[in-house]
Amino acid sequence: MARGSRLRAWGMILGAWMAVLSGLTACAGPYQYFEGTGIHDATAAEVAGGWENIEGTRVLLREDGTALLENLDGSGFDFEEGWRLSGTGTWRLVDPKGGQVVQLALTARTRVENRSAATATATAAPEPPTSYAWPFSVDRDEHGELNLFFLYGDPDIGNLYVMTREPASRDGGVPAAP
């Protein structure tokens, strides 16, 4: 009988610890504390060129550090606002401890679009920014090709906004300006 009481007591203690640990980690999704890809070997020349994603976003990163952007969504929670920005800006490749990042900044907005009709008709939606900055993490695919991405929406979900090379940029050609 004493053995059963001891087992029950240990079970209650273990259960209490499990409840405490579950509460502490409930909001810690896989990308909430993302610290980088660990990539440190990309060069600015390799990053320069045309980039696109499946949603029709296009970005041209010129070798002189200037950029053209077309229909680029907001990163993080800004994505949920539904605006898409176009214009000109600057970029630079930085190399923090966690892995390389392309810091892209929109300095002159030329156009704003909305991702959906629902966001276009929202009367309480805030005015889209006239300037904005995106932190694109640098990664490599299974073939060693570069990809650029940022996280958007709730960090617990881990949504990735991925940019891949435009076909003309892969072949060494000059990509069309967005």
Side-chain angles (χ1 to χ4, degrees):
M1 191 72 135
R3 180 175 170 86
S5 295
R6 251 187 274 143
L7 284 175
R8 217 169 308 141
W10 278 110
M12 289 175 53
I13 291 170
L14 181 60
W17 274 109
M18 294 292 285
V20 168
L21 290 174
S22 294
L24 291 174
T25 62
C27 294
Y31 294 98
Q32 184 169 4
Y33 302 108
F34 176 71
E35 294 184 15
T37 61
I39 301 295
H40 296 283
D41 64 348
T43 64
E46 187 179 14
V47 171
W51 297 88
E52 63 185 359
N53 80 359
I54 60 172
E55 298 295 324
T57 298
R58 295 181 61 219
V59 175
L60 176 61
L61 304 176
R62 295 180 176 141
E63 289 185 18
D64 66 359
T66 61
L68 295 174
L69 299 74
E70 182 178 351
N71 294 329
L72 188 51
D73 297 283
S75 65
F77 284 110
D78 290 338
F79 181 85
E80 296 169 5
E81 298 298 325
W83 44 256
R84 306 185 87 203
L85 302 176
S86 297
T88 59
T90 61
W91 72 277
R92 66 186 185 121
L93 179 64
V94 297
D95 194 4
K97 181 180 174 184
Q100 290 175 302
V101 175
V102 172
Q103 295 177 338
L104 177 61
L106 174 74
T107 56
R109 184 180 81 185
T110 58
R111 189 175 72 238
V112 176
E113 293 187 16
N114 290 298
R115 242 187 340 273
S116 70
T119 57
T121 59
T123 57
E127 174 66 22
T130 57
S131 61
Y132 194 79
W134 293 265
F136 280 97
S137 294
V138 176
D139 201 7
R140 291 194 184 276
D141 66 15
E142 63 276 1
H143 304 291
E145 298 293 322
L146 285 184
N147 289 315
L148 305 178
F149 72 90
F150 61 76
L151 296 167
Y152 69 91
D154 186 338
D156 290 339
I157 297 171
N159 292 319
L160 297 179
Y161 194 94
V162 180
M163 302 289 291
T164 58
R165 280 279 182 202
E166 285 187 329
S169 289
R170 273 191 211 108
D171 301 332
V174 177

